Amino acid sequence: GRGGSPSAPGTEHGAGQAAEQAAQGACMAECHLPSLQVDRFLHQLRLSDDVLQDVAARFQAEMLKGLARDTNPTAAVKMLPSFVRSLPDGSEKGEFLAVDLGGSQLRAHRVRVSDDGKQSSQLESKFYPTPKEVTQGNGAELFDYIADCLSDFMDTRNLKQKKVPLGFTFSFPCKQTKLDEGVLLEWTKHFRVRGVQGTDVVSSLHRALQKHQDIDVDVLALVNDTVGTMMTCGYDDPRCEVGLIIGTGTNACYMEEMRHISLVEGDEGRMCINTEWGAFGDDGALDDLRTEFDRELDLGSLNPGKQLFEKMISSLYLGELVRLILLKMTKEGLLFNGKVSAALLTKGKIEMKHVSAMEKYKEGLSNTREILTELKLFPSEEDCVAVQHVCTIVSFRSANLCAATLAAILTRLRDNKKLLRMRTTVGIDGGLYKTHPRYAQRLHKVLRRLVPTCDVRFVLSRSGSGRGAAMVTAVALRLAAQRRRLDAALAPFLLPPSTLQQVRDSMRAELEYGLKREAQGQATVKMLPTYVRGMPDGTEKGKFLALDLGGTNFRVLLVKIKSGRRRSVQMYNKIFAIPLEIMQGTGEELFDHIVQCIADFLDYMGIKGARLPLGFTFSFPCRQTSIDKGTLVGWTKGFKATDCEGEDVVDMLREAIRRRNEFDLDIVAVVNDTVGTMMTCGYEDPNCEIGLIAGTGTNVCYMEDMKNIETVEGNEGKMCINTEWGAFGDNGCIDHIRTKYDREVDEGSLNPGKQRYEKMTSGMYLGEIVREILIDLTKQGLLFRGHISESLRKRGIFETKFLSQIESDRLALLQVRRVLQHLGLDSTCEDSIIVKEVCAAVSTRAARLCGAGLAAVLEKRRQDRGVERLQITVGVDGTLYKLHPHFSRILQETVKELAPQCDVTFMLSEDGSGKGAALITAVAKRLHNGDPEHLSDL
Ligand code: ADP
Ligand code: MG
């Protein structure tokens, strides 16, 4: 009665293929009777794509539940952190042991991983039986047995005299708190050993191994087989980030973002999560999809009510499901003329290997006949076709369900990466997937339909659970070695409090020395008098021009100051670029360019004929003899124009104006930007007596008692001192804390040997220090796979603003990677973590050094004033201080530590260089017009 059925054996299609199509519901009408009957009988096992999408959505929800701290305790899917944070990078090497418990046999392996560039791992294995006494006996015996097997294995491989690291593949749900510790939550599959649940299996193995005096094994990692599978495939394919097992049991792991794993401290990077998805449905989430057969199978299992998803999927159960279905169909008279055999009534008589054989492409039907005959069932031709169809439906459901949960994981990975499309690799292992004639193909096909946005490559793991454990161990050893070297490289940046105190004290000594008459010309911290003697009092008014030269930008400003009740400052400014060739050309060219910019600005504002008073913010060390005279001591930062050092900058500006012969200006004051900053803040807060810059460069000014300033006549009142502390250390006094990276940055700079403190603390250099460290770490093979890219060689590519971006707490590692990518640095996740650490080390040291310097100034002021506590305001400007996510906080904390008796208010200056120059000019102008009480010497 097969009629014209396309499934007749011997035709092109073959029975299996027809059954396949029937199972997909593609050709119901054409299918012959037995299949139709089976279809009707088993319609509940046939899951449409809609249902599978729904299963995927349910599993997504389960994953979230397992990941969150508050819902994890009641979650069915445990989402266990594996403490595996990195995939192999190919540089692993050494000889490792692995022992693998959880499959059908106990396996011992020796794995040799080479780093000779060929990237290969050699595996030698020996299998040991796991009889029922072992899988269902007591714990001590189990671990003794494992230790005995290992000892035997080491004996056969001549490993007894060596110390070998071991990875322990233990494929049961374990709660890990570190890589080498794991408490068994529950036995699964066919294992049920007494006294192990709730205990740490690593220490149990360790104890058993210690009884063997003749071997020396260090258990370094506890590894789930899914994780081992992922790691093994990850060794060959760096894209691998999922491990999947479909064998005796089923389970999957994947790399999850640390910030989503609330059970483990830390937000950086990723960690492999062992989903333990076999338990999906244990809370009833799949009850609507489970059939009477699933329920019956569960009741007869070793662990009723547990691992319900696994029981619909894995090879340990599929044969039994088929048996239960056949039994029921026979009892209902649909098969074998209703005659049940004793064998069919016996639990476990149909195994996975039988199901696979029956579904074979060509011999399937004859296999079926043989198998059924073996079971004493006397099948007709139709019975055979029907039984084959049952097998197909059962194994197809398994592949469908697996595809659904895998789709959920892939979707999650894709969402984590914020990608619309994703390419990824799944490492896969397990007998069902590997040996069933159609399973793999079905799984792939359904998966493609369920997640069309993921291009998935499946890589079969070559004995993944054993090799993988060795790989986890190898990676752990590599990471530990890398960590030691990274710590060593960054250690010099961790300045302990005692060192910072020393820095504060040397700074204090240099400040004092710079004020001495005999020090002039020799002091490294020059302590330049500014001839600014007091703060604005609010009566300043008028229109002023200001120039701001000395940073990233050159600006010309028009400042309108109103006094009295309508007290306010209005500013108009224009930014002009100073091309590198002018910054480093001749002095005349530089000043001609400046005057050109002023002319543009005056035109732009329509005030060319006004002859306004001008304040010139010139942020380089100048030796002043009055408020409008300043001789350049030496260029700093990026400037190096010729014929300027030793010249009066106001004269140079006046001459350039004269050369142009187009307009005239009344140059009233030359102002350092620190002083401008202090004045701007002082305009708002009379307590502001210190100005700090942390931008391209670093510098501080403060109000000093005239009696302490030996270089200026007079002992009354105060004068602002521009410390020029950037040069601190130029005499070698902080050389002991400078690193080789600092020396490299210095040697590559425009002014080698100069501004040593500035080069450790300011925006122009921090990125360069980072770059030098990255080069060194790459040379050591700790970064970028040991490859120094062209862009990393480029001086200046690593701007300080990238430090700010990378160190921002809100930025996920993925974005750090984007920043690096933007710089032409192709980084892995681990690279990004290291780069971020390097940035933090460099910026933290900068902030702490700067804080130590400031503490010296504060303490000096406190002691000079003779007060127990000093209340003072520090005006601050500079983009490093303002925009770096941690610099200002760390600086302030350091000041608290090192100057505990000073209560400091930090006040951000708004455009100190512009506004401050105008304020100083205003006061100077007012004094010039006959008010000798105030600010200047004029
Ligand atoms: P100045 O050049 O007058 O010091 P800024 O105070 O604006 O001007 O400082 C500019 C410097 O700040 C740049 O040279 C750069 O080193 C640094 N910088 C720029 N952007 C950032 C940022 N986002 N975070 C930290 N530092 C930055
Ligand atoms: Mg500035």
Side-chain angles (χ1 to χ4, degrees), residues 734-782:
I734 51 170
D735 277 1
H736 61 291
I737 60 168
R738 289 170 79 222
T739 64
K740 61 175 174 180
Y741 311 111
D742 295 304
R743 283 188 285 275
E744 272 153 21
V745 169
D746 179 41
E747 279 157 26
S749 69
L750 282 174
N751 49 353
K754 302 268 170 66
Q755 302 291 102
R756 294 187 197 177
Y757 181 64
E758 176 162 271
K759 284 171 184 167
M760 301 167 88
T761 52
S762 79
M764 184 156 173
Y765 306 99
L766 297 190
E768 272 300 280
I769 302 173
V770 168
R771 194 179 65 89
E772 291 292 352
I773 301 174
L774 297 186
I775 288 177
D776 185 44
L777 295 181
T778 311
K779 277 186 189 153
Q780 293 191 46
L782 300 173

Coordinates of all heavy atoms in Angstrom, one line a residue, residues 734-782:
I734 N 63.2 65.3 40.8 CA 62.2 64.2 40.8 C 62.5 63.1 39.8 O 61.7 62.3 39.4 CB 60.8 64.8 40.5 CG1 60.8 65.7 39.2 CG2 60.2 65.6 41.6 CD1 59.4 66.1 38.7
D735 N 63.8 63.1 39.5 CA 64.2 62.0 38.5 C 63.9 60.6 39.0 O 63.7 59.7 38.2 CB 65.7 62.2 38.2 CG 65.9 63.2 37.1 OD1 64.9 63.8 36.6 OD2 67.1 63.4 36.7
H736 N 63.9 60.5 40.3 CA 63.7 59.1 40.9 C 62.3 58.6 40.6 O 62.0 57.4 40.7 CB 64.0 59.0 42.4 CG 63.2 60.0 43.2 ND1 63.3 61.3 43.1 CD2 62.2 59.7 44.1 CE1 62.4 61.9 44.0 NE2 61.8 60.9 44.6
I737 N 61.3 59.5 40.4 CA 60.0 59.0 40.1 C 59.7 59.1 38.6 O 58.6 58.7 38.1 CB 58.9 59.8 40.8 CG1 58.9 61.3 40.5 CG2 59.0 59.6 42.3 CD1 57.7 62.0 41.0
R738 N 60.6 59.6 37.8 CA 60.4 59.6 36.3 C 60.6 58.2 35.8 O 61.5 57.5 36.2 CB 61.3 60.6 35.6 CG 60.9 62.0 35.9 CD 61.9 63.0 35.4 NE 61.8 63.2 33.9 CZ 62.8 63.2 33.1 NH1 64.1 63.1 33.5 NH2 62.6 63.4 31.8
T739 N 59.8 57.8 34.9 CA 59.9 56.4 34.3 C 60.7 56.5 33.0 O 60.9 57.6 32.4 CB 58.5 55.8 34.0 OG1 57.9 56.6 33.0 CG2 57.7 55.8 35.3
K740 N 61.0 55.3 32.4 CA 61.6 55.4 31.1 C 60.7 56.0 30.1 O 61.2 56.5 29.1 CB 62.1 53.9 30.7 CG 61.0 52.9 30.6 CD 61.5 51.6 30.0 CE 60.4 50.5 30.0 NZ 60.9 49.3 29.5
Y741 N 59.4 55.8 30.3 CA 58.5 56.4 29.3 C 58.5 57.9 29.4 O 58.5 58.6 28.4 CB 57.0 55.9 29.6 CG 57.0 54.4 29.8 CD1 56.7 53.9 31.1 CD2 57.2 53.6 28.7 CE1 56.7 52.5 31.2 CE2 57.2 52.2 28.9 CZ 56.9 51.7 30.1 OH 56.9 50.3 30.3
D742 N 58.7 58.5 30.6 CA 58.8 59.9 30.7 C 60.0 60.4 30.0 O 60.0 61.4 29.3 CB 58.9 60.3 32.2 CG 57.6 60.0 32.9 OD1 56.5 60.5 32.5 OD2 57.6 59.3 33.9
R743 N 61.1 59.6 30.1 CA 62.4 60.1 29.5 C 62.2 60.0 28.0 O 62.7 60.9 27.3 CB 63.5 59.2 30.0 CG 64.0 59.6 31.4 CD 65.3 58.9 31.8 NE 65.0 57.5 32.1 CZ 64.6 57.1 33.3 NH1 64.5 58.0 34.3 NH2 64.4 55.8 33.6
E744 N 61.5 59.0 27.5 CA 61.3 58.9 26.0 C 60.5 60.1 25.5 O 60.8 60.7 24.5 CB 60.6 57.6 25.7 CG 61.7 56.5 25.4 CD 61.1 55.1 25.7 OE1 59.9 54.9 25.7 OE2 61.9 54.2 25.9
V745 N 59.4 60.4 26.3 CA 58.6 61.6 25.9 C 59.4 62.8 25.9 O 59.4 63.7 25.0 CB 57.4 61.7 26.8 CG1 56.7 63.0 26.6 CG2 56.4 60.5 26.6
D746 N 60.3 63.0 26.9 CA 61.1 64.2 27.0 C 62.1 64.2 25.8 O 62.2 65.3 25.2 CB 61.9 64.1 28.3 CG 62.8 65.3 28.5 OD1 62.4 66.4 28.2 OD2 64.0 65.1 29.0
E747 N 62.7 63.1 25.5 CA 63.7 63.1 24.5 C 63.1 63.5 23.1 O 63.7 64.0 22.2 CB 64.4 61.8 24.4 CG 65.5 61.7 25.4 CD 65.9 60.3 25.8 OE1 65.7 59.4 24.9 OE2 66.4 60.0 26.9
G748 N 61.8 63.1 22.9 CA 61.1 63.3 21.7 C 60.5 64.7 21.6 O 59.8 65.1 20.6
S749 N 60.6 65.5 22.7 CA 59.9 66.8 22.7 C 60.8 67.9 22.1 O 61.9 67.7 21.8 CB 59.6 67.1 24.2 OG 60.8 67.4 24.9
L750 N 60.2 69.1 22.0 CA 60.9 70.3 21.5 C 61.9 70.8 22.4 O 62.8 71.5 22.0 CB 59.8 71.4 21.2 CG 59.0 71.3 20.0 CD1 58.0 72.4 20.0 CD2 59.8 71.4 18.7
N751 N 61.7 70.5 23.7 CA 62.6 71.1 24.7 C 63.1 70.0 25.7 O 62.8 70.0 26.9 CB 61.9 72.2 25.5 CG 60.5 71.7 26.0 OD1 60.1 70.6 25.6 ND2 59.9 72.5 26.8
P752 N 64.0 69.1 25.2 CA 64.5 68.0 26.0 C 65.1 68.5 27.3 O 65.8 69.5 27.3 CB 65.5 67.3 25.2 CG 65.2 67.7 23.8 CD 64.6 69.1 23.9
G753 N 64.8 67.8 28.4 CA 65.4 68.2 29.7 C 64.7 69.3 30.4 O 64.9 69.5 31.6
K754 N 63.8 70.0 29.7 CA 63.1 71.1 30.3 C 61.6 70.7 30.7 O 61.1 69.8 30.1 CB 63.0 72.3 29.3 CG 64.3 72.7 28.8 CD 64.8 73.9 29.7 CE 66.2 74.3 29.4 NZ 66.4 74.8 28.0
Q755 N 61.1 71.4 31.7 CA 59.6 71.2 32.0 C 59.3 69.8 32.4 O 58.4 69.2 31.9 CB 58.7 71.7 30.9 CG 58.9 73.1 30.4 CD 58.4 74.1 31.4 OE1 59.3 74.7 32.1 NE2 57.1 74.3 31.6
R756 N 60.1 69.2 33.2 CA 60.0 67.8 33.5 C 58.7 67.5 34.3 O 58.0 66.5 34.0 CB 61.2 67.3 34.4 CG 62.4 67.3 33.5 CD 63.6 66.7 34.2 NE 64.8 67.1 33.6 CZ 66.0 66.8 34.0 NH1 66.2 66.0 35.0 NH2 67.1 67.3 33.3
Y757 N 58.3 68.4 35.2 CA 57.1 68.2 36.0 C 55.9 68.3 35.0 O 54.9 67.5 35.0 CB 57.0 69.2 37.1 CG 55.9 69.2 38.0 CD1 55.6 68.1 38.9 CD2 55.0 70.3 38.1 CE1 54.5 68.1 39.8 CE2 54.0 70.3 39.0 CZ 53.7 69.3 39.8 OH 52.7 69.3 40.7
E758 N 55.9 69.4 34.2 CA 54.9 69.6 33.2 C 54.7 68.4 32.3 O 53.6 68.0 32.0 CB 55.2 70.8 32.3 CG 54.2 71.1 31.2 CD 54.3 72.5 30.7 OE1 53.7 73.4 31.3 OE2 55.1 72.8 29.8
K759 N 55.8 67.8 32.0 CA 55.7 66.6 31.0 C 55.1 65.4 31.7 O 54.8 64.4 31.0 CB 57.1 66.3 30.4 CG 57.5 67.3 29.4 CD 58.9 67.2 28.9 CE 59.2 68.3 27.9 NZ 60.7 68.5 27.7
M760 N 55.0 65.4 33.0 CA 54.4 64.3 33.7 C 52.9 64.6 34.0 O 52.2 63.7 34.4 CB 55.1 63.9 35.0 CG 56.6 63.5 34.8 SD 57.5 63.5 36.3 CE 57.2 61.8 36.8
T761 N 52.5 65.9 33.9 CA 51.2 66.2 34.4 C 50.3 66.9 33.5 O 49.1 67.1 33.8 CB 51.4 67.2 35.6 OG1 52.2 68.3 35.2 CG2 52.0 66.5 36.8
S762 N 50.7 67.3 32.3 CA 49.8 68.2 31.5 C 49.4 67.5 30.2 O 49.9 66.6 29.7 CB 50.5 69.5 31.3 OG 51.4 69.4 30.2
G763 N 48.3 68.1 29.7 CA 47.6 67.6 28.5 C 48.4 67.4 27.3 O 48.2 66.4 26.5
M764 N 49.5 68.2 27.1 CA 50.3 68.0 25.9 C 51.0 66.7 25.9 O 51.4 66.2 24.8 CB 51.2 69.2 25.8 CG 52.1 69.1 24.5 SD 52.6 70.8 24.1 CE 53.7 70.3 22.7
Y765 N 51.2 66.1 27.1 CA 52.2 65.0 27.2 C 51.5 63.7 27.6 O 52.1 62.6 27.4 CB 53.3 65.3 28.1 CG 54.0 66.6 27.7 CD1 53.7 67.8 28.3 CD2 54.9 66.6 26.7 CE1 54.3 69.0 28.0 CE2 55.5 67.8 26.3 CZ 55.2 69.0 26.9 OH 55.8 70.2 26.5
L766 N 50.4 63.7 28.3 CA 49.8 62.5 28.9 C 49.6 61.4 27.8 O 49.9 60.3 28.0 CB 48.5 62.8 29.6 CG 48.6 63.7 30.8 CD1 47.3 63.7 31.6 CD2 49.8 63.3 31.7
G767 N 49.0 61.9 26.7 CA 48.8 60.9 25.6 C 50.1 60.3 25.1 O 50.1 59.1 24.7
E768 N 51.1 61.1 25.0 CA 52.4 60.6 24.6 C 53.0 59.6 25.5 O 53.5 58.6 25.1 CB 53.4 61.8 24.4 CG 53.4 62.4 23.1 CD 53.7 61.5 21.9 OE1 54.9 61.2 21.7 OE2 52.7 61.0 21.3
I769 N 52.8 59.8 26.8 CA 53.3 58.8 27.8 C 52.5 57.5 27.6 O 53.1 56.5 27.5 CB 53.1 59.3 29.2 CG1 53.8 60.7 29.5 CG2 53.6 58.3 30.2 CD1 53.5 61.3 30.8
V770 N 51.2 57.7 27.4 CA 50.4 56.5 27.1 C 50.9 55.7 25.9 O 51.1 54.5 25.9 CB 48.9 56.8 27.0 CG1 48.1 55.7 26.4 CG2 48.3 57.3 28.3
R771 N 51.2 56.5 24.9 CA 51.6 55.9 23.6 C 53.0 55.1 23.8 O 53.1 54.0 23.4 CB 51.8 57.0 22.5 CG 52.0 56.4 21.1 CD 52.1 57.5 20.1 NE 53.3 58.3 20.3 CZ 54.5 58.0 19.7 NH1 54.6 56.9 18.9 NH2 55.6 58.7 20.0
E772 N 53.9 55.7 24.6 CA 55.2 55.1 24.8 C 54.9 53.8 25.6 O 55.6 52.7 25.3 CB 56.1 56.0 25.7 CG 56.6 57.2 24.9 CD 57.6 56.8 23.8 OE1 58.0 55.6 23.6 OE2 57.9 57.7 23.0
I773 N 54.0 53.8 26.6 CA 53.8 52.6 27.3 C 53.2 51.5 26.4 O 53.5 50.3 26.4 CB 52.8 52.8 28.5 CG1 53.4 53.9 29.5 CG2 52.5 51.5 29.3 CD1 52.5 54.3 30.6
L774 N 52.2 51.9 25.6 CA 51.6 51.0 24.7 C 52.6 50.3 23.8 O 52.5 49.1 23.5 CB 50.4 51.6 23.9 CG 49.3 52.2 24.7 CD1 48.2 52.7 23.7 CD2 48.7 51.2 25.7
I775 N 53.5 51.1 23.3 CA 54.5 50.6 22.4 C 55.3 49.5 23.2 O 55.6 48.4 22.7 CB 55.5 51.7 21.9 CG1 54.7 52.5 20.9 CG2 56.7 51.1 21.3 CD1 55.5 53.7 20.3
D776 N 55.7 49.9 24.4 CA 56.5 48.9 25.2 C 55.7 47.7 25.5 O 56.3 46.5 25.3 CB 56.9 49.6 26.5 CG 57.9 48.7 27.3 OD1 58.8 48.1 26.7 OD2 57.7 48.6 28.5
L777 N 54.5 47.8 25.8 CA 53.7 46.6 26.2 C 53.5 45.8 24.9 O 53.5 44.5 25.0 CB 52.3 47.0 26.7 CG 52.3 47.7 28.1 CD1 50.9 48.0 28.5 CD2 53.0 46.8 29.1
T778 N 53.3 46.4 23.8 CA 53.2 45.7 22.5 C 54.5 44.9 22.2 O 54.4 43.7 21.8 CB 52.8 46.6 21.4 OG1 51.7 47.4 21.8 CG2 52.4 45.8 20.1
K779 N 55.6 45.6 22.4 CA 56.9 44.9 22.2 C 57.0 43.7 23.1 O 57.6 42.7 22.7 CB 58.0 45.9 22.5 CG 58.4 46.8 21.4 CD 59.6 47.6 21.7 CE 59.9 48.7 20.7 NZ 60.6 49.8 21.2
Q780 N 56.5 43.8 24.3 CA 56.5 42.7 25.2 C 55.4 41.6 24.9 O 55.3 40.6 25.6 CB 56.2 43.1 26.7 CG 57.3 44.0 27.2 CD 57.1 44.2 28.8 OE1 56.8 43.2 29.5 NE2 57.2 45.4 29.2
G781 N 54.7 41.9 23.8 CA 53.7 40.9 23.4 C 52.4 40.9 24.3 O 51.6 40.0 24.2
L782 N 52.2 42.0 25.0 CA 51.1 42.0 25.9 C 49.9 42.7 25.3 O 48.8 42.7 25.9 CB 51.5 42.8 27.2 CG 52.6 42.2 28.0 CD1 53.0 43.1 29.2 CD2 52.2 40.8 28.5

